[in-house]
Amino acid sequence: RFSLLLLDLEEYYFEQHTAYHVMSSSKKEKIRGSFKVCSRSIIFDPEDLDEPILKGAKKITFELEVWNKTEDVVQTLLQLHRASCLDKLGDQTAMIAANLQSRLARSSFDKNFQSVAEKPHMECPVEMVLPLVSNPGHVCITDENLYFQPLNGYPEHVIQIKLHRVRRIYKRRHGLRPLGLEVFCTENDFCSDIYLKFYNTADRDEIYYYIATFLNHVTEHTAESYMLQWQRGHLSNYQYLLHLNNLADRSCNDLSQYPVFPWVIADYSSSQLMTNAATFRDLSKPVGALNKERLDRLLARYRGMPEPRFLYGSHYSSPGYVLFYLVRVPEHMLCLQNGRYDHADRMFNIGETWKNCLEGATDFKELIPEFYGQDSSFLENRQSLDLGQKQNGSLVGDVVLPPWASDASDFLQKHKAALESQYVSEHLHEWIDLVFGFKQRGSEAVAAQNFHPLTYEGGIDCDIEDTDQRIAMLTQILEFGQTPKQLFTSPHPQRITPRFQNITRSPSINSPVSDMSPSPSEDSSFEDLTEESRKLAWTNMGSLKVVSSHKIHKAVTGIAVTRDGAAIFSTSQSTLKMFSKELKDFQRSMSFSNMALSSCLMLADGKTVVCSSWDNNYFYSVPYGRRQDTLMGHDDAVSDMCWFDDRLYTASWDSTIKVWQCASDSSSSHKRSQFELLAELEHDAGQVNTVALNPAGTLLVSGCKDGTVTIWDTGSYGTLQQVHCHNGTIHHVSFSPSRHVLSVGADSCMKVTDVQTGMVISSVKAEEEQCFCWDGNSVLCGGQSGDLLLWDLLSNTVTQRIPAHSMWMSELCTTVITGGEDRQIIFWKLQS
């Protein structure tokens, strides 16, 4: 029966009265119903469901059931009639808006719906936003609930949301203005519990921050934190795209900013959907650039245009496109097209729509989330609607599916599997660059043939004084579509995918769609088992327990362990000490110079310990128990070092890293090591304070005194990335098992940098300067407090605080040795 969708665009439903529709002049034949006053029309909704709803008839006679309301209703109708008689649309809109504001000012929230114990915080006039319509009323927020009370009492007298149930809130731009607020009580749904449009930004922000105070139980996520979860496989492609849409102001309640999803399949004609690369759409290009011949024609037209020029005559997401896909869920489409369906030959069918997106001169649309969901109703004509007859005589019914789909549910299942496939996982970041990222606007967008004038946030002046011009401009933009809010300004990192069959390199593979989801390769090596052991260890890292502790130093600055774990070497001031795990006491002590030792490491032979000092590098022979060699390679203190195969990397405060190749001198009875300088990596950023290698030894990362992280290629010794990400000295850097770098500095911030793009994708404010070990998700930190802190980088929280401080971890991550200013080295073991 009655729905707000019966209203015209930008029309408001003000009030309703019980009344009788008088059918004849004798006034004996009457129909009881609801007389509804709207800003541009009157609507009569009969109680008898066999009678039709009346709207905007030229001459209708009504009798109000409550007679003393007649004069008020007549005055309201006269005001609205005067507004409709104005010549300019802008003047009409302004007069109706004034009438609405007057009604809101004369009314207030009915506090009878509140509990007596509740403490109100504020209330203000708002509009509840629904697809294609808005419903004015009042919002009231207390210490327990958020209430919305519609001015007209429709669809219910009050909507209540308990604050402790809220999981996510988002500020929204509505009509290109920062006036919206959307509230979710679920974590992963893309439809919210309520979407409110405020009349000024200050009121919106006041309620936003008040609700935020109740969300201590909820982790606040950013685009970067969601990116990290997605990269590590903790979010599916579908979930990640939903989160990005939410952060970019896309909402299922606003059809002009509906969530946008990509076409991923390019084959809608085969009888079986294969997993070869030709099955998939090229995600590095916008829809308009997928067909080169069409793109060439568009570019030729563009070059010959006067200003303002445009490449595409339509957007990839607009209200018309959303409703085009949802035509078999009919209410919204009938509203948009004045109660009539589109021509039968233009009705949505999948194969024809994809073909038109490739070849049509004005069709460049992407998809919506429903194509990757579980509800197939939008693909089926379940209500047996009369959608017309095509020119070939066939009736329009259910969506015509591709041959590889047995039914609508099978289509959605295979479509979802394609979205989560290996190919899409490896290339989805390219599409994100186009829609949410650095190729969305500017010179990068032009180079990617991906620009849409007048659709960008901040691209037009919404405060045009001329009301008619402003309404015309906004109407054009809202109907044409809006580009999502830009979330990334640098290239989006690729997803980290495990060792699965890589279809991008095997275009001849023809396995069915059921094999589309990634599956591990059959050859499980020992390395895989070792990796599983590490993962298991990190899962249980919170169960570390002290095995023993020993005071052997003034303050520990570095730790190294022999391959069999029997001997532990530690440095402090100018002394290297060896501790026997079996005897539980230190056995040897060696002083190299009067200069402090900054770090130590065990070489691959398991027989040599290298100590870095403020003057030299010293090599200690474990079997012979004495200094074996000295390497004088820098003009200032050696701050840190690392080793891979036969190469030693030494970092210094002289702003360089030096790369040395080691070869044993066979003529020497003690096999002294000979070092050849291979490269010198100079840093513009100043003193190099820390250095580390990735597990494969192909990448080197350095951290400098000015807060700059530099990533180097160890093959070419060229700079890959240089990122200034800390305020002050960087104390420690380390690679994850994949392609992220974690750094911690004097600013007490832990920052994760993506090696591929140089983007800082996560930043956590820690409690103090720290050293750490990490697996890419969790960080075990030691700091000046003497505690071990276990951080979860995905939620940016400390999940475990272990009263404990330089740190060493075994290869299988089951043993940890710490040392600190309390003069102790402490042994830790995971508890089974």
Side-chain angles (χ1 to χ4, degrees), residues 394-413:
S394 62
L395 296 175
V396 177
D398 294 345
V399 171
V400 178
L401 299 170
W404 46 258
S406 59
D407 54 34
S409 296
D410 183 54
F411 170 82
L412 291 183
Q413 185 271 324

Side-chain angles (χ1 to χ4, degrees), residues 294-305 309 311:
R294 178 180 65 176
L295 178 62
D296 290 341
R297 293 195 300 270
L298 292 172
L299 288 170
R301 183 189 67 174
Y302 170 75
R303 295 185 189 103
M305 276 184 184
R309 297 188 294 176
L311 183 60

Side-chain angles (χ1 to χ4, degrees), residues 375-388:
D375 184 2
S376 61
S377 61
F378 78 103
L379 298 172
E380 300 169 327
N381 186 10
R382 295 180 180 178
Q383 300 185 39
S384 301
L385 303 170
D386 182 5
L387 300 176

